[in-house]
Amino acid sequence: MSNFAVDFDADFVASLEGDEVRVTADGSVITVAVPDMTMGLRLWNNTAPRYKERAALELLDQTLRSLDVNLAIQVAGQTVARVGKAARPGLTSRVLGLGPVEVAALPFLSSWMGGKGKAAV
């Protein structure tokens, strides 16, 4: 795959079973925002076949990196995961088996437990 940069500009809302998913893109960052972890997990379960999750994440990461693009996942206004050129996967990613996905542990856990606390990412 050859590398080249792509700039995106988008702002739209999609509905999944009555809940809103907001997708925004500004330059090289695409953000998918869901209102809560329940919605996030429902979206994940509906779009990621279990037998291909890791391979699909690796392909997504390679594609985003080749385009010089980053994908951020937000839950309740907090970035809980990143994939692409800016992602720095760590221990949490390895424990969860998410390969190239950077998981922001504190915001992820806060969202998972329904907390309202903000954590720096």
Side-chain angles (χ1 to χ4, degrees):
M1 239 185 254
S2 63
N3 290 359
F4 57 93
V6 176
D7 283 336
F8 291 95
D9 184 19
D11 187 356
F12 64 91
V13 176
S15 180
L16 178 66
E17 299 176 10
D19 290 317
E20 289 187 351
V21 177
R22 178 174 285 289
V23 178
T24 58
D26 185 13
S28 64
V29 178
I30 301 168
T31 302
V32 177
V34 295
D36 55 45
M37 186 60 83
T38 300
M39 175 64 183
L41 291 173
R42 193 168 46 198
L43 182 63
W44 173 260
N45 289 332
N46 287 334
T47 59
R50 289 283 176 227
Y51 65 94
K52 290 186 175 178
E53 284 176 4
R54 180 68 181 252
L57 291 172
E58 296 286 349
L59 179 59
L60 175 62
D61 182 62
Q62 290 172 6
T63 302
L64 291 171
R65 286 176 185 274
S66 73
L67 297 173
D68 198 24
V69 174
N70 298 291
L71 174 65
I73 306 299
Q74 290 186 349
V75 176
Q78 298 184 74
T79 299
V80 298
R82 289 185 183 89
V83 65
K85 190 172 184 177
R88 302 292 177 257
L91 178 61
T92 306
S93 301
R94 288 192 297 277
V95 168
L96 295 174
L98 295 176
V101 178
E102 173 188 347
V103 177
L106 292 177
F108 179 84
L109 290 172
S110 174
S111 295
W112 183 269
M113 299 177 79
K116 301 291 184 194
K118 300 286 183 184
V121 288

